[in-house]
């Protein structure tokens, strides 16, 4: 078999033209292998900045002249037989010999230089390591600047992403965020401080919108775990088929469609920190058994795995349902309930806040102003009284909704009972109507009895002059004029229309 024949056999035309011959292919492959190894070695040796080979004892058996000059050796023969570390102090050739694994790309420090090197083991026909060869690919990093720049960019992106994830898993609320100084609020804060001292499970009880997650975050922030992740999950918001993987993770191939890297799970994400399980009463019975084991043994078993994984997680659970009734109905495990209910904290509904309601409303108004850019509003005494007469079935969420709507519907700096009634019609029955008490302008006239003859015309003239002066003082701007008079812009325009007047701007 001539060289020309072998060359033709491996050309594209030759492969297409001839039927496959197994023996000929094996012979050609062996020939190619014999030729490729010396050819590859020669190419690397020629293109590299230096080459060295060592035996199984890491003694130099060959070094090219280029590398010897770089190392300050006049004659390459002087290096033969010496241990590689004598001439290359930071060499990793001995590691390649010990492991039999190549080090494909590495940075090696030589003096003040940083060399880009690659190292390969050399084996005999039986696969035993008999030596190693190393190549200096570059003696300067400037050739790798594009690669290093891309590596630096990817590392920066990874660090920024990790930082954002860590920030997202830090609590946003503290105990100061739980506004209220009524006895029931102070008791909640007292129990939260006690709970932060231990790692015992906590069960937060209360209606929807009473601030259960806020208290959970506050407890985490006061605890020894404050520097680690706070991971919150709403059990009711996750499809039942995904709950087990969501909580405990899944190994690659556990189910169709799973990422090839598997799934970490919330317990693993919260490892070392706190896991907040909201709406725990909606957890399926089958999953409750696994949760109980995780709490008792501090270990989880990912979906598709038979090997438990140790975790260190403090669990805070919350519910707005009667768990004891669910136990009687067979929908919640009694043993899990007793494990979670080590330290129960009941959060009062808004209607139970008493005098604390005004402070909560003021805090919400400050948050609305900061978030929306609207002016900071206050509450009139009548508005506070109206708020206290409403039951607030939606608790703080409902109160926030009503106050924000009222802020959008009026320009009054202090929300009145009428403003609140417009935002929440149910308040209209309980709150005194705005027209039933004197308006700021009407307070200037006492009308304890029947109006005197000509009163209406005289009052219209007085009000016309008052509105006119307010407009003049504000440069014709109706909003500022209404604000100066202490009435809403809508009420101001109604008065203008009734009196046949127009704003100047």
């Amino acid at each position: 078999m001539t060289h020309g024949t072998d060359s033709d056999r491996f050309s594209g035309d030759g492969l297409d033209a001839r039927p496959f011959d197994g023996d000929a292919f094996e012979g050609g492959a062996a020939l190619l292998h014999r030729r490729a190894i010396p050819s590859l070695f020669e190419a690397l040796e020629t293109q590299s900045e230096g080459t060295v080979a060592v035996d199984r004892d890491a003694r130099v058996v060959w070094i090219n002249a280029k590398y010897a000059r770089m190392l300050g050796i006049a004659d390459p023969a002087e290096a033969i037989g010496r241990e590689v570390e004598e001439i290359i102090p930071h060499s990793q050739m001995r590691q390649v010999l010990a492991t039999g694994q190549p080090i494909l790309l590495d940075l090696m420090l030589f003096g003040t230089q940083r060399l880009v090197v690659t190292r390969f083991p050399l084996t005999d026909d039986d696969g035993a390591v008999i030596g190693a060869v190393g190549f200096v690919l570059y003696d300067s990093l400037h050739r790798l600047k594009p690669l290093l720049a891309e590596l630096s960019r990817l590392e920066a992106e990874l660090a920024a992403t990790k930082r954002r994830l860590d920030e997202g898993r830090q609590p946003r609320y503290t105990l100061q965020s739980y506004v209220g100084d009524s006895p029931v609020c102070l008791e909640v804060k007292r129990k939260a401080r006690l709970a932060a001292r231990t790692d015992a499970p906590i069960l937060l009880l209360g209606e929807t919108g009473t601030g259960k997650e806020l208290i959970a975050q506050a407890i985490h922030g006061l605890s020894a775990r404050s520097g680690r992740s706070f991971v919150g999950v709403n059990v009711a918001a996750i499809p039942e088929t995904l709950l087990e993987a969501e909580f405990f993770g899944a190994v690659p191939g556990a189910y169709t469609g799973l990422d090839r890297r598997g799934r970490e799970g919330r317990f693993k994400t919260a490892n070392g920190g706190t896991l907040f399980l909201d709406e725990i009463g909606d957890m399926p019975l089958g999953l409750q058994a696994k949760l109980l084991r995780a709490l008792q043994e501090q270990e989880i078993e990912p979906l598709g795995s038979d090997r438990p994984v140790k975790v260190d997680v403090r669990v805070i659970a919350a519910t707005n349902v009667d768990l004891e009734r669910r136990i009687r109905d067979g929908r919640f495990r009694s043993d899990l309930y007793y494990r979670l209910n080590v330290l129960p904290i009941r959060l009062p509904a808004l209607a139970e806040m008493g005098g604390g309601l005004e402070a909560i409303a003021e805090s919400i108004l400050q948050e609305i102003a900061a978030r929306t850019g609207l002016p900071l509003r206050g509450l009139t005494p009548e508005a506070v009284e109206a708020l206290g007469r409403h039951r607030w079935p939606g608790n703080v969420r409902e109160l926030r909704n009503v106050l924000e709507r009222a802020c959008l519907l009026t320009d009054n700096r202090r929300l009145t009972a009428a403003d609140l009634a417009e935002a929440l019609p149910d308040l209209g029955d309980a709150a005194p109507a705005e027209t039933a008490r004197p308006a700021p302008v009407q307070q200037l006239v006492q009308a304890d009895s029947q109006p005197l003859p000509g009163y209406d015309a005289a009052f219209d003239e007085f009000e016309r002059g008052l509105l006119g002066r307010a407009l003049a003082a504000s440069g014709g701007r109706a909003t500022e004029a209404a604000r100066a008079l202490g009435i809403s812009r809508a009420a101001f325009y109604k008065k203008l229309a009734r009196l046949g007047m127009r704003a100047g701007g």
Side-chain angles (χ1 to χ4, degrees):
M1 187 178 292
T2 66
H3 289 177
T5 303
D6 287 330
S7 178
D8 292 342
R9 188 179 300 256
F10 285 95
S11 68
D13 293 339
L15 287 174
D16 291 339
R18 303 181 186 183
F20 179 74
D21 184 338
D23 293 338
F25 180 82
E26 288 181 5
L31 179 62
L32 179 63
H33 184 267
R34 289 196 303 272
R35 290 180 176 177
I37 297 302
S39 177
L40 177 61
F41 185 89
E42 182 180 350
L44 283 171
E45 197 274 333
T46 302
Q47 297 298 321
S48 70
E49 300 296 329
T51 307
V52 64
V54 300
D55 63 14
R56 69 183 69 196
D57 297 318
R59 292 189 301 263
V60 176
V61 296
W62 182 78
I63 185 170
N64 65 358
K66 190 188 303 186
Y67 202 5
R69 286 193 301 271
M70 183 189 301
L71 299 174
I73 302 173
D75 183 2
E78 296 177 12
I80 305 303
R82 296 166 63 182
E83 291 193 353
V84 68
E85 291 87 357
E86 289 184 37
I87 62 173
I88 309 172
H90 299 287
S91 173
Q92 296 294 317
M93 297 288 271
R94 201 176 294 275
Q95 178 183 333
V96 174
L97 293 168
T99 64
Q101 298 297 317
I103 301 176
L104 296 179
L105 195 63
D106 192 21
L107 292 178
M108 184 178 73
L109 187 64
F110 180 72
T112 60
Q113 282 184 293
R114 298 177 74 187
L115 308 178
V116 182
V117 300
T118 185
R119 310 177 185 95
F120 298 94
L122 299 174
T123 58
D124 60 16
D125 292 341
D126 296 325
V129 177
I130 59 174
V133 61
F135 301 94
V136 178
L137 301 180
Y138 304 110
D139 60 357
S140 174
L141 295 184
H142 76 275
R143 302 186 192 182
L144 294 179
K145 278 186 178 178
L147 178 62
L148 293 176
E150 179 66 10
L151 180 62
S152 297
R153 184 186 67 81
L154 292 174
E155 287 178 340
E157 284 187 3
L158 179 63
T161 301
K162 185 177 184 302
R163 192 163 51 249
R164 285 194 297 271
L165 285 173
D166 290 342
E167 290 172 355
R169 290 171 182 153
Q170 292 303 307
R172 302 187 306 274
Y173 303 109
T174 66
L175 206 54
Q176 287 70 36
S177 305
Y178 189 72
V179 180
D181 55 3
S182 62
V184 288
C185 293
L186 294 177
E187 178 64 10
V188 169
K189 294 180 180 181
R190 184 186 73 84
K191 286 187 174 180
R193 291 190 183 94
L194 291 175
R197 299 177 185 174
T198 73
D199 274 349
I202 299 170
L203 182 60
L204 302 178
L205 307 167
E207 299 176 5
T208 298
T210 52
K212 294 187 288 294
E213 183 166 0
L214 185 155
I215 291 297
Q217 291 192 21
I219 292 171
H220 172 80
L222 289 171
S223 73
R225 298 175 179 264
S226 60
R228 306 302 293 271
S229 295
F230 175 92
V231 179
V233 55
N234 189 315
V235 176
I238 302 174
E240 186 171 338
T241 54
L242 299 178
L243 269 174
E244 185 172 356
E246 185 72 22
F247 277 101
F248 305 111
V251 299
Y255 56 86
T256 304
L258 179 64
D259 189 280
R260 59 185 177 84
R261 292 169 297 181
R263 189 178 186 87
E264 189 172 64
R266 300 299 180 95
F267 264 88
K268 194 70 179 295
T269 304
N271 194 31
T274 300
L275 180 62
F276 173 60
L277 303 179
D278 199 7
E279 308 297 350
I280 191 69
D282 293 319
M283 178 174 281
L285 277 170
L287 199 60
Q288 291 177 27
K290 293 198 72 172
L291 175 59
L292 179 62
R293 175 178 173 80
L295 291 173
Q296 290 178 336
E297 307 297 333
Q298 284 290 286
E299 63 181 28
I300 59 173
E301 198 169 284
L303 189 65
S305 172
D306 57 358
R307 301 179 64 181
V309 177
K310 282 290 183 181
V311 290
D312 174 23
V313 175
R314 198 265 181 87
V315 171
I316 301 178
T319 184
N320 63 351
V321 300
D322 186 344
L323 290 183
E324 293 184 354
R325 174 175 293 180
R326 296 213 167 184
I327 291 172
R328 292 194 295 271
D329 295 340
R331 298 168 60 189
F332 202 84
R333 295 178 62 109
S334 59
D335 48 4
L336 177 60
Y337 171 71
Y338 296 126
R339 187 73 182 112
L340 292 172
N341 198 31
V342 175
L343 180 56
I345 302 178
R346 182 183 176 278
L347 278 67
L350 202 58
E352 303 173 70
M353 291 291 190
L357 180 60
E358 181 177 1
I360 295 171
E362 296 285 358
S363 176
I364 292 174
L365 288 172
Q366 290 177 12
E367 181 267 325
I368 291 171
R371 178 170 49 83
T372 65
L374 292 170
L376 178 60
R377 312 301 173 92
L379 294 166
T380 63
E382 294 82 2
V384 174
E385 184 182 347
L387 290 176
R389 288 197 295 266
H390 187 62
R391 285 192 50 79
W392 301 109
N395 292 294
V396 175
R397 291 194 185 99
E398 183 185 7
L399 177 61
R400 179 178 286 107
N401 176 274
V402 170
L403 292 176
E404 186 164 358
R405 187 183 305 153
C407 289
L408 293 171
L409 292 175
T410 183
D411 288 320
N412 290 341
R413 286 304 182 100
R414 300 182 71 202
L415 299 179
T416 64
D419 294 329
L420 297 177
E422 187 176 3
L424 181 64
D426 288 351
L427 279 172
D429 298 333
E434 183 68 19
T435 53
R437 55 188 179 87
V441 174
Q442 294 171 328
Q443 290 174 2
L444 301 174
V445 179
Q446 298 296 326
D448 297 330
S449 56
Q450 292 295 323
L452 297 172
Y455 170 84
D456 290 341
F459 184 84
D460 286 349
E461 188 62 31
F462 172 83
E463 196 170 37
R464 188 178 286 108
L466 192 63
L467 298 180
R469 288 192 295 274
L471 282 170
S474 65
R477 290 183 287 273
T479 300
E480 291 188 13
R483 188 177 296 119
L485 294 174
I487 61 176
S488 70
R489 184 172 58 179
F492 185 87
Y493 275 115
K494 286 180 182 179
K495 291 179 182 296
L496 290 180
R498 182 176 63 80
L499 297 170
M501 299 174 64
R502 295 179 59 187

